[in-house]
Amino acid sequence: MAPTTQTDSLFADGISVRLGGRGILSGLDIPPLPAGALVALLGPNGSGKSTLLKALAGLVPARAARLALGATDLRPMAAAARAHYLRYLPPGLPADVHLSVFEAVMVALRARPGAAPATNAARRVAAVLDELGIAALADRYLDELSDGQRQLAGLAQAMVHEPAVLLLDEPLTALDLNHQHHVMQILLGLAHERRILVVLVLHDLDMALRYADQALLLTHGALLAAGTPAEVIRPDHLARAFSILARVESSSLGHPHVLVSGLADSFHS
Ligand SMILES: Nc1ncnc2c1ncn2[C@@H]1O[C@H](COP(=O)(O)OP(=O)(O)OP(=O)(O)O)[C@@H](O)[C@H]1O
Ligand SMILES: [Mg+2]
């Protein structure tokens, strides 16, 4: 795991969110998440993963006993102020925005308080597009891209700030295999080399096993398990969370994989 410094960990205790008159998260306690860690947020559809990320980012009304980045209390901050510290990337970018990729990433960069001067900003945008391997898309319009290309552009918008915390909601969903691994390796680099805390929602458990430092498994708005991916992605947890019969085995390359042998409806909690 990445080295930790307690001072810039993200602390989230007693997170409660009500939406549409229903309690979605009820006093959820998250273990401290250290700077420099890649954290996989796992769980079935509707378990509260997106709601949790939005609550951290201040994008849904939430109550919290503690929500802090190191010594900085995030609770009094509105979403715009919190975005200086935490960037939330939704699962899909709107497909009807007629901006070029370069312009969209530049707008995201310039929106930050104390933004860099224009020449530095242009260089920074070009560097992020290059890092993500989408420099060739710079002049293409967002509404003329494929879903995966648009997802990479969204990731560039989130990354260009180098915030303390990146909250990425299913960033791999529209990506091909090459881009999935490419993006995970970039995110791992951001975490381990630049000390950014990256929390990302993944449905692909093999990706979590392979790349994440820590994993959080949500079911019904509560934390079922937290720890290393190997501690969390276990047959008993998978049965309870996803109602599947599964085991984890190492491939001939030494990578752990989840092998599903069937559905286990009787385990559904
Ligand atoms: N605006 C809303 N109003 C009412 N209920 C909502 C709202 N947004 C989400 N919910 C409910 O909150 C619960 C958690 O939703 P959330 O989007 O956080 O799930 P998720 O874990 O991200 O699921 P998925 O894997 O499908 O994206 C679901 O039952 C959902 O129906
Ligand atoms: Mg979601």
Side-chain angles (χ1 to χ4, degrees):
M1 198 190 345
T4 65
T5 54
Q6 196 66 8
T7 48
D8 43 14
S9 292
L10 179 67
F11 300 97
D13 299 325
I15 307 289
S16 296
V17 175
R18 287 188 72 79
L19 295 172
R22 287 196 312 126
I24 308 297
L25 306 176
S26 305
L28 182 64
D29 292 323
I30 301 295
L33 302 177
L38 186 73
V39 180
L41 181 54
L42 312 171
N45 295 131
S47 56
K49 304 178 298 297
S50 298
T51 303
L52 173 60
L53 293 192
K54 288 182 208 165
L56 297 176
L59 297 170
V60 294
R63 285 189 297 115
R66 184 184 190 192
L67 179 56
L69 192 60
T72 306
D73 189 356
L74 299 169
R75 291 173 303 176
M77 296 182 199
R82 262 189 228 185
H84 190 54
Y85 301 91
L86 308 91
R87 300 296 303 188
Y88 171 74
L89 179 68
L93 283 188
D96 57 352
V97 177
H98 196 65
L99 282 178
S100 74
V101 170
F102 191 92
E103 288 165 343
V105 179
M106 180 64 92
V107 166
L109 181 61
R110 303 293 294 166
R112 186 176 68 165
T119 43
N120 293 352
R123 216 173 298 134
R124 173 83 194 119
V125 171
V128 170
L129 298 183
D130 201 38
E131 187 173 10
L132 279 167
I134 54 170
L137 299 180
D139 296 326
R140 299 272 305 279
Y141 287 94
L142 287 179
D143 53 1
E144 295 168 2
L145 297 180
S146 75
D147 291 340
Q149 290 170 333
R150 201 162 28 246
Q151 195 162 29
L152 290 166
L155 199 54
Q157 285 185 304
M159 277 171 51
V160 75
H161 290 273
E162 295 225 347
V165 183
L166 272 174
L167 304 168
L168 308 175
D169 202 344
E170 301 194 34
L172 305 184
T173 306
L175 302 184
D176 65 49
L177 264 185
N178 178 295
H179 281 99
Q180 288 182 37
H181 286 275
H182 184 64
V183 164
M184 289 305 286
Q185 285 167 19
I186 290 170
L187 295 177
L188 207 54
L190 288 177
H192 291 185
E193 285 153 32
R194 295 192 223 165
R195 312 274 310 135
I196 292 175
L197 167 61
V198 181
V199 184
L200 77 171
V201 175
L202 290 175
H203 282 297
D204 185 335
L205 302 179
D206 289 352
M207 281 293 190
L209 282 165
R210 179 139 169 199
Y211 289 103
D213 299 306
Q214 294 187 22
L216 305 171
L217 177 56
L218 286 188
T219 53
H220 304 295
L223 197 60
L224 178 70
T228 65
E231 289 166 346
V232 169
I233 302 172
R234 295 189 333 204
D236 53 336
H237 293 155
L238 299 181
R240 282 178 61 192
F242 298 101
S243 301
I244 52 169
L245 292 170
R247 58 187 191 275
V248 178
E249 286 187 6
S250 278
S251 73
S252 55
L253 294 176
H255 299 304
H257 293 276
V258 173
L259 300 177
V260 178
S261 54
L263 301 181
D265 282 337
S266 59
F267 283 102
H268 200 68
S269 54

